[in-house]
Amino acid sequence: MPAMTAVDAGARAGAGVPAEAVGPLVRGVGVLRRLAEAGGTLSPSALERATGLARSTVDRITATLARMGYVRLDGRDVVLTSGVLELGNAYLAALRLPALLGARADALADELDESVSLAVADRDGIRFIHQATRRRALSVSFRIGDLLPAERTAPGALFATEWSERDWARWHARRAEDPRDTAFPAVPPRPEPAPGTAHDAADTVDADFTDRVRAARRDGWVLDDQLIEPGLVAVSAPVRDPRTGRVACVASVVSHTSRHPAADLPATLLPRLRTAVAAMEADLRTAPPPEPGPAPAGLATWTTASKQELGRDFVESLARGLTVLTAFGEGRPALSLTDVARATGLPRATARRALLTHEYLGLVTAAPHEDRAFTLTPRVLDLGFPPLSRTTLPRLAEPHLRALADRVREPAALAVLTADGTEIQYTAGAGTSGVLTVRIPVGARLPAAATSLGRVLLADTGAPASPGLAETRTRGYALVDEELESGLRSVAVPVRDRTGRAVAAVNVATHAARRSLEDCVRHLLPALRATADDIQRDLHRASRFTRVPTT
């Protein structure tokens, strides 16, 4: 477990927390952070140990987070769900950089066949906001939202060229307190120094970093020669804000010494990186002002209703405090207290205490001038984003398929169309305990034209359709009666991505002796459509700033 931060210590001991801070909100944020650090899953007893909170407090917090759709209670475990991504999405949407520059980073990754990342400064660290990774056996494992110490990265040296004396003092203090980087779970900790050499080792690291910062200021780019772990190399260049000239983010091409020796990167990768960076800066100069998206509505009413329904198991101050973060977004990067209260429907006093708490936790920052406009910080990504940024459609769908199978007492499955369009491949499923049931393993393939899953996907391809597929396209579902196998009936509906394209399909299968065709349409189809809607909601949330593979 990473080293305890000052915020965690205050939350545990009750010391150092501002008088107006919302205690349940401090504790709830701590629970989300511990879940994220653990990969997204912990038992309540493990959360109790990790946070130092009483078990009853952990139970009330997780019940509240479950009501909000941020976690689910899966057997004995508390599991982060895609709902919590709305917090990180609010920060990334307000930042705009992933939306404006992500396509350029993806194109560079395709051109070079190397991983490309975009990172922003986070105090004395760097945090990834976009990743275009290569799918190969030896690839980079960093995720959107991961925090790395500045001195162990190439972007860190570029950001440090703009550090103030206060920033350098904070960096030195952190290095002295945590010389092995145990507070950064995304990187391997530094090795324990030999007895009597700790001071010399720290001096070496500090001197090396200051030398690289000096070189970055001179050259305008930085080389990472295995700073994080052996074999990992990168070259980075700054993308500057056209309004201020300061570093808005840093673009990096990441490789391995087996593909590109570090000494070769300035000649092989840097020229194309600089070309891409110039295009990114041009995009920033010409980007039109954002159109503010719709602010969240009815949040205060929803939290009140949830409190009335669940009683003491729902911590309303925690729920209201977290909803404050969702008031920010595209076209709403900086909000006053009045703006936040209006967007959430919360009383000004409630919104104010929540904002002060988030400021203490490092999740928002306030401008020093009189109107005190608040903005989100990169640390919002701590709240569950990294472990969910590499999710897949089957992982998103599995809990919904289990709930559907339990509800209708029939097996449910998710499938995709193969590249040639002739078959479907099962990617997730949930069975039942009946004696006579459908059992098709994940990975199995079947003829697309003979299955409800395949027909609903073929109907959406845009190609000229047969009368049967045209009918399927019109009504939005496919019903297959004993065509694949005698006695087998199934009904399927599509699962659509953010563009409206059917990327997968979900079905329920049954035996002809159990359900008539009319019963399949009347009773199974509504539950199936509701499940597809739930999967689509999670997919749209998860894919807003990340790529979600369908298999």
Side-chain angles (χ1 to χ4, degrees):
M1 186 66 64
M4 186 171 64
T5 67
V7 168
D8 294 329
R12 290 189 183 193
V17 182
E20 291 187 282
V22 182
L25 180 55
V26 174
R27 293 187 283 273
V29 166
V31 166
L32 286 175
R33 281 176 163 156
R34 295 292 87 81
L35 278 169
E37 290 164 359
T41 302
L42 280 176
S43 67
S45 57
L47 270 173
E48 183 182 358
R49 292 191 297 271
T51 61
L53 299 172
R55 176 60 180 270
S56 59
T57 302
V58 169
D59 289 343
R60 293 181 66 216
I61 288 173
T62 54
T64 302
L65 295 175
R67 178 70 168 193
M68 300 182 74
Y70 291 176
V71 305
R72 73 173 185 272
L73 308 180
D74 191 353
R76 296 183 178 181
D77 289 329
V78 180
V79 182
L80 288 173
T81 70
S82 65
V84 79
L85 290 174
E86 72 177 11
L87 302 176
N89 283 346
Y91 164 72
L92 294 172
L95 183 67
R96 293 192 77 201
L97 293 178
L100 293 175
L101 308 181
R104 296 283 187 188
D106 295 344
L108 180 62
D110 291 339
E111 177 190 352
L112 300 176
D113 193 27
E114 298 289 354
S115 296
V116 173
S117 66
L118 299 177
V120 295
D122 188 348
R123 294 169 67 95
D124 60 341
I126 68 112
R127 198 178 292 270
F128 294 111
I129 59 168
H130 184 83
Q131 287 279 1
T133 57
R134 302 291 87 187
R135 301 188 87 178
R136 53 172 66 109
L138 194 63
S139 62
V140 179
S141 62
F142 293 132
R143 307 158 300 181
I144 295 175
D146 275 337
L147 177 68
L148 277 62
E151 68 277 6
R152 294 180 69 178
T153 69
L158 289 163
F159 288 121
T161 62
E162 300 179 341
W163 280 3
S164 65
E165 290 185 8
R166 181 180 178 185
D167 295 327
W168 281 104
R170 180 169 55 219
W171 177 73
H172 282 293
R174 189 261 296 165
R175 288 275 303 122
E177 181 181 346
D178 184 22
R180 299 191 62 215
D181 298 333
T182 57
F184 297 86
V187 297
R190 293 183 185 275
E192 194 78 55
T197 65
H199 187 270
D200 292 340
D203 285 347
T204 299
V205 170
D206 293 359
D208 176 67
F209 183 55
T210 54
D211 287 345
R212 286 190 291 114
V213 173
R214 192 177 300 113
R217 189 177 291 114
R218 179 192 67 228
D219 301 332
W221 58 273
V222 174
L223 186 67
D224 173 350
D225 187 2
Q226 306 177 79
L227 293 172
I228 292 175
E229 66 179 24
L232 187 66
V233 294
V235 61
S236 300
V239 180
R240 297 191 178 275
D241 186 326
R243 298 166 303 167
T244 65
R246 293 178 63 83
V247 180
C249 67
V250 171
S252 303
V253 181
V254 186
S255 188
H256 193 271
T257 50
S258 60
R259 291 175 58 82
H260 291 280
D264 292 350
L265 296 188
T268 56
L269 300 183
L270 180 60
R272 283 176 282 184
L273 172 62
R274 280 179 154 167
T275 299
V277 163
M280 291 178 185
E281 292 177 341
D283 290 342
L284 293 182
R285 282 194 299 272
T286 58
E291 290 290 335
L299 296 176
T301 302
W302 178 85
T303 58
T304 299
S306 297
K307 181 65 175 177
Q308 291 173 346
E309 180 180 343
L310 299 181
R312 70 181 306 276
D313 288 334
F314 184 79
V315 186
E316 189 174 15
S317 58
L318 167 59
R320 290 190 163 192
L322 290 175
T323 62
V324 161
L325 298 176
T326 66
F328 299 83
E330 187 172 4
R332 304 190 306 278
L335 299 176
S336 67
L337 170 58
T338 300
D339 294 332
V340 171
R342 184 184 302 117
T344 59
L346 295 172
R348 279 177 56 89
T350 301
R352 178 177 177 274
R353 290 192 65 201
L355 287 167
L356 290 175
T357 304
H358 288 313
E359 188 174 19
Y360 160 69
L361 294 172
L363 301 175
V364 305
T365 185
H369 45 76
E370 192 172 323
D371 64 1
R372 276 183 62 82
F374 293 87
T375 57
L376 298 181
T377 75
R379 297 209 163 187
V380 173
L381 295 174
D382 271 342
L383 308 185
F385 210 95
L388 293 171
S389 67
R390 290 278 178 90
T391 193
T392 64
L393 181 56
R395 286 179 60 188
L396 293 175
E398 282 167 359
H400 299 297
L401 294 177
R402 289 200 302 269
L404 175 62
D406 290 344
R407 178 179 173 186
V408 301
R409 298 186 180 181
E410 302 284 4
L414 181 83
V416 298
L417 203 61
T418 57
D420 62 6
T422 62
E423 295 180 310
I424 59 163
Q425 179 179 354
Y426 284 81
T427 57
T432 58
S433 57
V435 175
L436 184 63
T437 188
V438 179
R439 292 186 178 90
I440 301 177
V442 169
R445 296 189 175 197
L446 293 175
T451 63
S452 61
L453 291 160
R455 288 184 185 177
V456 102
L457 291 169
L458 290 171
D460 197 73
T461 59
S466 65
L469 290 181
E471 182 182 359
T472 296
R473 184 182 300 167
T474 299
R475 66 189 184 185
Y477 70 91
L479 180 62
V480 170
D481 182 24
E482 302 188 76
E483 294 184 37
L484 182 67
E485 184 175 320
S486 179
L488 179 63
R489 285 178 176 155
S490 67
V491 57
V493 297
V495 174
R496 301 186 182 278
D497 64 13
R498 293 176 63 86
T499 69
R501 182 173 64 95
V503 293
V506 60
N507 86 334
V508 171
T510 187
H511 192 273
R514 273 205 303 269
R515 293 184 186 268
S516 66
L517 292 175
E518 180 183 3
D519 190 41
C520 289
V521 174
R522 179 176 296 178
H523 296 113
L524 294 184
L525 184 58
L528 187 60
R529 280 178 163 158
T531 297
D533 288 344
D534 290 340
I535 296 171
Q536 284 177 173
R537 183 191 64 246
D538 286 356
L539 174 61
H540 296 176
R541 203 156 35 199
S543 62
R544 187 172 180 186
F545 294 105
T546 64
R547 179 180 172 273
V548 178
T550 57
T551 58

